[in-house]
Amino acid sequence: MRRTTRTRAAIALALAVTAGLGVTSLAAQTANAAADSVKVQYRTSANGATADQAEPWFKVVNNGSTTVALSRVTFRYYFKADGPGLQYRFACSWAVTGCANVTASFGALEHPTATADRYLEIGFTAGAGSLAPGADTGDMQLRFHRVDWQTVNQADDYSFGAGRSTYADWDKVTARLGGAAVWGTAPAGNGADPTPTPTDPTPTPTPTDPPPTGATLFDDFSYTSYGDPAIAAHGWNVRSNSGGPGVPGAAWSPENVTFAAAGGGNTVMNLETSTAGSAESTKQTEVLTKATKFKNGTYAARVKLSDAPKYGPDGDHLVQTFFTINDLKAPMADDYAEYDFEYLPNGGWGEPGNILYTTSWETYRPDPWEAVNQHTEARTSYAGWHDLVVTIDDHAITYFIDGQVFGTHDARYLPERPMSINFNQWLIDLNGQSGTTARAYDQQVDYVLHVKDQVLTPAQVTAKVNAYRAAGTSFEDTVPAG
């Protein structure tokens, strides 16, 4: 379902320049800023006493008076292992500096305490650059988990702050600059040990390593036509029934959904939408899962968006999409959910030119119109292939385009019920141009992936898709019903 009114201001990733107080001791006491000094700000994206993984997020702030190379900075997050022999794995979900420029290692404390016997040490490569006085690194959205993916107990972790939902100075993390301790207080009896004691002899995997196998839907769209019986057998519906969204009276045409070989031996799905300027001539396309069984986790698709028509004159108010949705049981029902990527190559909904929206819906009322949603938009061309990823956990909805965060939406918009997965291409109206010359537009889809209850980085999505293709697997669905 799509609407023509957006009510929330856009959410942009803020790369704020932050000034802070200087520190001259491990106790982080306030003092005049030293020539070379940094401090660490912290928040958590997983604030429960237990969680699937710990999610400490950080900013490093230069609170000195000279420029600091980040390659000279390390800082430590202290925690209590859930067992003496347990091993942990680190991942970087997102960092303004670039995850490739963030390093990590686990170590053991020389003097364990009731709240800490391990630490995660974070550092930077030269590629992370430098911080001017008063500047910060911006978000570093980090996480770590047990190698067996069992629940992590955070309640007894020294550096964990359950109530820290926004960034603030955090002296339960220690920082070193050029080997000298400049910030924070280590657990009792422990100094900042410059030589980590390895707890795991195996290398820490990079963020591109595929995560452990979980309940997954993967489809490479290796079908012959819309009538291929494997489509229905694999849980898809190629829409033919009438109704919205789009031009009233328009048809939804399954015959306009086709499949063709692409480079590298892959098959892509093509959705063609066409019109000759009247409702009767308008044919829209949609492919959706028959099951509404998808909720938290990672959703990803590689989609080719189009600015220009396949043939005929340009200018129609077209919408090209990848989204999840469930049904609105009553106007303003609070268990409705929808999460959209929507691209308008020729504008519409009051926009004069191309725009891409990501929108998270809480609910709406169709008549009189009222909506509760949050959206992010970018007014630029997105013609071509793009990797679209949206992750949903218990705290936020995060949208990525081509590996970069596009928007993060609030917990109030999290889903209460499972949803279907959908692709469609349709016309808002016939006001984009008044001609009656036939024209058509294409939207292509390379693959779709959903991993239930796991937040994957875009790099992990790519690695997982590549692993399926390397194994010759074109379809898998292990997501349980309901």
Side-chain angles (χ1 to χ4, degrees), residues 138-155:
D139 273 326
M140 289 183 286
Q141 299 179 9
L142 311 182
R143 54 193 173 92
F144 64 93
H145 60 85
R146 291 171 48 160
V147 294
D148 59 4
W149 277 100
Q150 295 302 303
T151 299
V152 172
N153 177 25
Q154 301 187 102

PDB file of all heavy atoms in Angstrom, residues 138-155:
ATOM      1  N   GLY A 138      32.385  10.348  14.493  1.00  0.00           N
ATOM      2  CA  GLY A 138      31.063   9.932  14.055  1.00  0.00           C
ATOM      3  C   GLY A 138      30.800   8.501  14.502  1.00  0.00           C
ATOM      4  O   GLY A 138      31.623   7.859  15.175  1.00  0.00           O
ATOM      5  N   ASP A 139      29.644   7.972  14.142  1.00  0.00           N
ATOM      6  CA  ASP A 139      29.216   6.651  14.586  1.00  0.00           C
ATOM      7  C   ASP A 139      30.215   5.559  14.263  1.00  0.00           C
ATOM      8  O   ASP A 139      30.737   5.475  13.143  1.00  0.00           O
ATOM      9  CB  ASP A 139      27.911   6.262  13.893  1.00  0.00           C
ATOM     10  CG  ASP A 139      26.691   6.763  14.618  1.00  0.00           C
ATOM     11  OD1 ASP A 139      26.719   6.825  15.844  1.00  0.00           O
ATOM     12  OD2 ASP A 139      25.700   7.073  13.946  1.00  0.00           O
ATOM     13  N   MET A 140      30.435   4.694  15.239  1.00  0.00           N
ATOM     14  CA  MET A 140      31.051   3.390  15.014  1.00  0.00           C
ATOM     15  C   MET A 140      30.088   2.368  15.618  1.00  0.00           C
ATOM     16  O   MET A 140      30.018   2.208  16.835  1.00  0.00           O
ATOM     17  CB  MET A 140      32.429   3.297  15.666  1.00  0.00           C
ATOM     18  CG  MET A 140      33.491   4.139  14.986  1.00  0.00           C
ATOM     19  SD  MET A 140      35.116   3.928  15.747  1.00  0.00           S
ATOM     20  CE  MET A 140      34.865   4.853  17.272  1.00  0.00           C
ATOM     21  N   GLN A 141      29.318   1.720  14.769  1.00  0.00           N
ATOM     22  CA  GLN A 141      28.291   0.794  15.220  1.00  0.00           C
ATOM     23  C   GLN A 141      28.909  -0.603  15.247  1.00  0.00           C
ATOM     24  O   GLN A 141      28.950  -1.307  14.238  1.00  0.00           O
ATOM     25  CB  GLN A 141      27.077   0.870  14.300  1.00  0.00           C
ATOM     26  CG  GLN A 141      26.440   2.253  14.281  1.00  0.00           C
ATOM     27  CD  GLN A 141      25.251   2.355  13.352  1.00  0.00           C
ATOM     28  OE1 GLN A 141      24.774   1.350  12.820  1.00  0.00           O
ATOM     29  NE2 GLN A 141      24.760   3.571  13.151  1.00  0.00           N
ATOM     30  N   LEU A 142      29.386  -0.998  16.420  1.00  0.00           N
ATOM     31  CA  LEU A 142      30.138  -2.234  16.581  1.00  0.00           C
ATOM     32  C   LEU A 142      29.294  -3.270  17.311  1.00  0.00           C
ATOM     33  O   LEU A 142      28.322  -2.936  17.992  1.00  0.00           O
ATOM     34  CB  LEU A 142      31.428  -1.964  17.351  1.00  0.00           C
ATOM     35  CG  LEU A 142      32.280  -0.783  16.854  1.00  0.00           C
ATOM     36  CD1 LEU A 142      33.551  -0.674  17.671  1.00  0.00           C
ATOM     37  CD2 LEU A 142      32.585  -0.910  15.364  1.00  0.00           C
ATOM     38  N   ARG A 143      29.693  -4.523  17.202  1.00  0.00           N
ATOM     39  CA  ARG A 143      28.982  -5.593  17.890  1.00  0.00           C
ATOM     40  C   ARG A 143      29.900  -6.792  18.052  1.00  0.00           C
ATOM     41  O   ARG A 143      30.878  -6.940  17.320  1.00  0.00           O
ATOM     42  CB  ARG A 143      27.714  -5.986  17.142  1.00  0.00           C
ATOM     43  CG  ARG A 143      27.926  -6.343  15.681  1.00  0.00           C
ATOM     44  CD  ARG A 143      26.598  -6.402  14.939  1.00  0.00           C
ATOM     45  NE  ARG A 143      26.775  -6.583  13.510  1.00  0.00           N
ATOM     46  CZ  ARG A 143      26.810  -7.767  12.899  1.00  0.00           C
ATOM     47  NH1 ARG A 143      26.665  -8.881  13.609  1.00  0.00           N
ATOM     48  NH2 ARG A 143      26.975  -7.852  11.602  1.00  0.00           N
ATOM     49  N   PHE A 144      29.591  -7.628  19.018  1.00  0.00           N
ATOM     50  CA  PHE A 144      30.299  -8.897  19.139  1.00  0.00           C
ATOM     51  C   PHE A 144      29.354  -9.932  19.726  1.00  0.00           C
ATOM     52  O   PHE A 144      28.371  -9.602  20.395  1.00  0.00           O
ATOM     53  CB  PHE A 144      31.590  -8.763  19.959  1.00  0.00           C
ATOM     54  CG  PHE A 144      31.424  -8.367  21.400  1.00  0.00           C
ATOM     55  CD1 PHE A 144      31.326  -9.327  22.410  1.00  0.00           C
ATOM     56  CD2 PHE A 144      31.399  -7.022  21.768  1.00  0.00           C
ATOM     57  CE1 PHE A 144      31.190  -8.965  23.737  1.00  0.00           C
ATOM     58  CE2 PHE A 144      31.275  -6.650  23.110  1.00  0.00           C
ATOM     59  CZ  PHE A 144      31.165  -7.623  24.093  1.00  0.00           C
ATOM     60  N   HIS A 145      29.643 -11.202  19.463  1.00  0.00           N
ATOM     61  CA  HIS A 145      28.748 -12.276  19.860  1.00  0.00           C
ATOM     62  C   HIS A 145      29.550 -13.526  20.192  1.00  0.00           C
ATOM     63  O   HIS A 145      30.719 -13.662  19.820  1.00  0.00           O
ATOM     64  CB  HIS A 145      27.753 -12.576  18.741  1.00  0.00           C
ATOM     65  CG  HIS A 145      28.400 -13.003  17.456  1.00  0.00           C
ATOM     66  ND1 HIS A 145      28.763 -14.314  17.199  1.00  0.00           N
ATOM     67  CD2 HIS A 145      28.775 -12.298  16.362  1.00  0.00           C
ATOM     68  CE1 HIS A 145      29.317 -14.390  16.009  1.00  0.00           C
ATOM     69  NE2 HIS A 145      29.348 -13.179  15.478  1.00  0.00           N
ATOM     70  N   ARG A 146      28.906 -14.438  20.877  1.00  0.00           N
ATOM     71  CA  ARG A 146      29.518 -15.731  21.126  1.00  0.00           C
ATOM     72  C   ARG A 146      29.623 -16.506  19.816  1.00  0.00           C
ATOM     73  O   ARG A 146      28.756 -16.388  18.950  1.00  0.00           O
ATOM     74  CB  ARG A 146      28.671 -16.515  22.134  1.00  0.00           C
ATOM     75  CG  ARG A 146      28.715 -15.934  23.531  1.00  0.00           C
ATOM     76  CD  ARG A 146      27.713 -16.563  24.472  1.00  0.00           C
ATOM     77  NE  ARG A 146      27.700 -18.034  24.453  1.00  0.00           N
ATOM     78  CZ  ARG A 146      27.202 -18.785  25.432  1.00  0.00           C
ATOM     79  NH1 ARG A 146      26.696 -18.207  26.514  1.00  0.00           N
ATOM     80  NH2 ARG A 146      27.204 -20.091  25.348  1.00  0.00           N
ATOM     81  N   VAL A 147      30.677 -17.301  19.661  1.00  0.00           N
ATOM     82  CA  VAL A 147      30.847 -18.049  18.414  1.00  0.00           C
ATOM     83  C   VAL A 147      29.736 -19.069  18.217  1.00  0.00           C
ATOM     84  O   VAL A 147      29.433 -19.454  17.083  1.00  0.00           O
ATOM     85  CB  VAL A 147      32.224 -18.742  18.353  1.00  0.00           C
ATOM     86  CG1 VAL A 147      33.338 -17.729  18.289  1.00  0.00           C
ATOM     87  CG2 VAL A 147      32.418 -19.702  19.520  1.00  0.00           C
ATOM     88  N   ASP A 148      29.105 -19.514  19.315  1.00  0.00           N
ATOM     89  CA  ASP A 148      27.998 -20.461  19.192  1.00  0.00           C
ATOM     90  C   ASP A 148      26.650 -19.760  19.035  1.00  0.00           C
ATOM     91  O   ASP A 148      25.612 -20.401  18.978  1.00  0.00           O
ATOM     92  CB  ASP A 148      27.956 -21.413  20.392  1.00  0.00           C
ATOM     93  CG  ASP A 148      27.803 -20.686  21.735  1.00  0.00           C
ATOM     94  OD1 ASP A 148      27.644 -19.439  21.736  1.00  0.00           O
ATOM     95  OD2 ASP A 148      27.847 -21.358  22.772  1.00  0.00           O
ATOM     96  N   TRP A 149      26.665 -18.440  18.974  1.00  0.00           N
ATOM     97  CA  TRP A 149      25.469 -17.619  18.804  1.00  0.00           C
ATOM     98  C   TRP A 149      24.430 -17.853  19.909  1.00  0.00           C
ATOM     99  O   TRP A 149      23.242 -17.607  19.717  1.00  0.00           O
ATOM    100  CB  TRP A 149      24.829 -17.815  17.425  1.00  0.00           C
ATOM    101  CG  TRP A 149      25.474 -16.978  16.387  1.00  0.00           C
ATOM    102  CD1 TRP A 149      26.408 -17.372  15.479  1.00  0.00           C
ATOM    103  CD2 TRP A 149      25.262 -15.578  16.121  1.00  0.00           C
ATOM    104  NE1 TRP A 149      26.797 -16.329  14.681  1.00  0.00           N
ATOM    105  CE2 TRP A 149      26.114 -15.217  15.046  1.00  0.00           C
ATOM    106  CE3 TRP A 149      24.447 -14.602  16.691  1.00  0.00           C
ATOM    107  CZ2 TRP A 149      26.169 -13.928  14.535  1.00  0.00           C
ATOM    108  CZ3 TRP A 149      24.494 -13.312  16.178  1.00  0.00           C
ATOM    109  CH2 TRP A 149      25.342 -12.996  15.112  1.00  0.00           C
ATOM    110  N   GLN A 150      24.866 -18.306  21.086  1.00  0.00           N
ATOM    111  CA  GLN A 150      23.958 -18.369  22.228  1.00  0.00           C
ATOM    112  C   GLN A 150      23.819 -16.975  22.844  1.00  0.00           C
ATOM    113  O   GLN A 150      24.601 -16.078  22.568  1.00  0.00           O
ATOM    114  CB  GLN A 150      24.482 -19.371  23.253  1.00  0.00           C
ATOM    115  CG  GLN A 150      24.515 -20.807  22.748  1.00  0.00           C
ATOM    116  CD  GLN A 150      23.146 -21.298  22.304  1.00  0.00           C
ATOM    117  OE1 GLN A 150      22.197 -21.283  23.084  1.00  0.00           O
ATOM    118  NE2 GLN A 150      23.031 -21.719  21.057  1.00  0.00           N
ATOM    119  N   THR A 151      22.820 -16.827  23.684  1.00  0.00           N
ATOM    120  CA  THR A 151      22.518 -15.516  24.273  1.00  0.00           C
ATOM    121  C   THR A 151      23.705 -14.980  25.073  1.00  0.00           C
ATOM    122  O   THR A 151      24.358 -15.715  25.814  1.00  0.00           O
ATOM    123  CB  THR A 151      21.290 -15.627  25.187  1.00  0.00           C
ATOM    124  OG1 THR A 151      20.172 -16.041  24.393  1.00  0.00           O
ATOM    125  CG2 THR A 151      20.962 -14.295  25.840  1.00  0.00           C
ATOM    126  N   VAL A 152      23.959 -13.697  24.906  1.00  0.00           N
ATOM    127  CA  VAL A 152      25.011 -12.998  25.645  1.00  0.00           C
ATOM    128  C   VAL A 152      24.392 -12.364  26.888  1.00  0.00           C
ATOM    129  O   VAL A 152      23.351 -11.690  26.803  1.00  0.00           O
ATOM    130  CB  VAL A 152      25.661 -11.913  24.765  1.00  0.00           C
ATOM    131  CG1 VAL A 152      26.613 -11.045  25.578  1.00  0.00           C
ATOM    132  CG2 VAL A 152      26.396 -12.550  23.593  1.00  0.00           C
ATOM    133  N   ASN A 153      25.014 -12.587  28.044  1.00  0.00           N
ATOM    134  CA  ASN A 153      24.586 -11.920  29.274  1.00  0.00           C
ATOM    135  C   ASN A 153      25.389 -10.637  29.440  1.00  0.00           C
ATOM    136  O   ASN A 153      26.602 -10.663  29.629  1.00  0.00           O
ATOM    137  CB  ASN A 153      24.808 -12.839  30.479  1.00  0.00           C
ATOM    138  CG  ASN A 153      24.446 -12.158  31.797  1.00  0.00           C
ATOM    139  OD1 ASN A 153      23.636 -11.233  31.818  1.00  0.00           O
ATOM    140  ND2 ASN A 153      25.039 -12.603  32.883  1.00  0.00           N
ATOM    141  N   GLN A 154      24.705  -9.492  29.362  1.00  0.00           N
ATOM    142  CA  GLN A 154      25.387  -8.208  29.490  1.00  0.00           C
ATOM    143  C   GLN A 154      25.275  -7.608  30.895  1.00  0.00           C
ATOM    144  O   GLN A 154      25.985  -6.649  31.216  1.00  0.00           O
ATOM    145  CB  GLN A 154      24.804  -7.194  28.500  1.00  0.00           C
ATOM    146  CG  GLN A 154      24.894  -7.592  27.045  1.00  0.00           C
ATOM    147  CD  GLN A 154      24.459  -6.460  26.150  1.00  0.00           C
ATOM    148  OE1 GLN A 154      25.292  -5.768  25.574  1.00  0.00           O
ATOM    149  NE2 GLN A 154      23.159  -6.256  26.019  1.00  0.00           N
ATOM    150  N   ALA A 155      24.378  -8.149  31.710  1.00  0.00           N
ATOM    151  CA  ALA A 155      24.064  -7.518  32.991  1.00  0.00           C
ATOM    152  C   ALA A 155      25.284  -7.406  33.902  1.00  0.00           C
ATOM    153  O   ALA A 155      25.360  -6.498  34.736  1.00  0.00           O
ATOM    154  CB  ALA A 155      22.955  -8.297  33.694  1.00  0.00           C
TER     155      ALA A 155
END
